[in-house]
Amino acid sequence: MLARIDRLRDLLEAAFPFPSHGAGDIADDTLLCRCEEIRAGDARRAIARFSLTEMNRLKAVTRIGMGRCQGRMCGAAAAELLAAQTRRDIGAVGRLRAQAPIKPIPLAAGLSIDERQHDPAH
């Protein structure tokens, strides 16, 4: 079974190779973070100006990864760009920390409490 999966993986990697150029090579006017409308050039300037070397510092300065997707769409590309700009290994720049939900649920809904039970009008 594993040999069969290995052959399939080899076929998929041959059909869809990982790009040899990473996000570090993208043009400055390319939208890096759709949610916060941050372009690659904005990120590069922030990295240089503030000597950024870690993903969460890049996030704090530029807001990359703070939008609705919480970095799920832009996090990998931003990490590649940061690694390329700082000439560091991708593992050395870290990853985005998880954030609280963007739209919290009401406590009563979370606890499955019927709010009408506690309403003095009922």
Side-chain angles (χ1 to χ4, degrees):
M1 178 70 171
L2 290 177
R4 191 169 154 213
I5 292 171
D6 194 39
R7 282 193 308 273
L8 178 60
R9 186 191 72 211
D10 290 341
L11 288 170
L12 287 172
E13 286 178 354
F16 305 103
F18 195 78
S20 59
H21 66 285
D25 300 357
I26 60 175
D28 280 348
D29 63 341
T30 303
L31 200 57
L32 184 62
C33 176
R34 282 189 309 186
C35 300
E36 296 295 321
E37 299 181 13
I38 307 296
R39 300 199 179 280
D42 301 327
R44 284 189 180 102
R45 284 187 290 281
I47 291 165
R49 181 173 181 200
F50 298 102
S51 302
L52 303 176
T53 60
E54 197 270 329
M55 278 298 292
N56 288 293
R57 291 298 307 142
L58 179 63
K59 179 180 181 177
V61 171
T62 64
R63 297 191 50 83
I64 287 175
M66 287 185 155
R68 293 183 69 93
C69 83
Q70 292 292 292
R72 288 184 297 274
M73 300 301 287
C74 62
E80 284 185 38
L81 187 133
L82 178 59
Q85 288 300 117
T86 58
R87 294 180 173 77
R88 301 175 78 208
D89 184 67
I90 188 108
V93 299
R95 58 187 176 86
L96 295 171
R97 285 190 287 275
Q99 298 294 310
I102 203 159
K103 183 176 181 183
I105 60 169
L107 186 59
L111 297 174
S112 299
I113 296 173
D114 184 359
E115 293 176 354
R116 291 176 293 171
Q117 288 177 320
H118 303 288
D119 187 356
H122 285 93

